[in-house]
Structures are given as structure tokens and as C-alpha cells.
Amino acid sequence: MSFHSKYIPDFLAMFDEKKASIKNREGCEFLELYQDKNNPEIFFTYSHWRHVDDLEAYRNSELFKNVWKQTKAMFNDKPYAWSVDKLVSLS
């Protein structure tokens, strides 16, 4: 997600307020927020959902609709999202 610089503090405050509610959704195993090192206007959320149905239930929830409505008003570019399968993990 890419935000207008002036909205970054608002986005961070909103994320801080909503992160526990998102993480506590059924099936959300973890939730992380990243900021690009070279372009501070770019952010990524990374979450792991136990099952695709859990993610879909979140996407159809009032919580998501509220968060998305607030978030998309701050964008300065088209957002992108991917759902992926883990192939390799090294710890």
C-alpha cells in the first residue's frame, strides 16, 4: 500500500487501534506491518490465516469494511494484495 506522506501518521494510528481486533479474528495466526526502507510511503501487511475460509470471513466482516474504507482514503497509488502458499521456510 502506498500512502500520501501526510496520512502516514493517521494510518499508523488506525493500524495500532485495529491490529488486535484483526489478529483476534478466527484463524489469524499472526499479523505484521512493514515499511519500505527506501520509500517511507510504502507499507505492507503480512498475515497468516489458518484456512482460506477464515481470511474470506475477515474480508466480509464489518471490521474489514471499516478498516478498508479508512485505509483506501489515504492511498496515493493503487494497492496490491497477494495470497500465497509457503513453499520453503528456514529458521
Side-chain angles (χ1 to χ4, degrees), residues 34-59:
Y34 297 92
Q35 185 176 28
D36 188 90
K37 287 182 180 279
N38 298 312
N39 183 346
E41 293 181 343
I42 297 176
F43 290 81
F44 302 85
T45 56
Y46 181 60
S47 57
H48 188 264
W49 296 82
R50 189 173 18 255
H51 192 273
V52 68
D53 292 341
D54 297 323
L55 176 57
E56 284 305 310
Y58 168 62
R59 287 180 176 159

Side-chain angles (χ1 to χ4, degrees), residues 51-69:
H51 192 273
V52 68
D53 292 341
D54 297 323
L55 176 57
E56 284 305 310
Y58 168 62
R59 287 180 176 159
N60 291 310
S61 71
E62 287 303 312
L63 173 61
F64 177 81
K65 291 173 187 173
N66 180 284
V67 167
W68 189 245
K69 181 179 178 181

Side-chain angles (χ1 to χ4, degrees), residues 9-23:
D10 296 335
F11 169 72
L12 292 172
M14 187 271 305
F15 187 85
D16 191 54
E17 177 186 324
K18 304 291 186 184
K19 66 185 178 190
S21 295
I22 297 168
K23 171 59 182 79

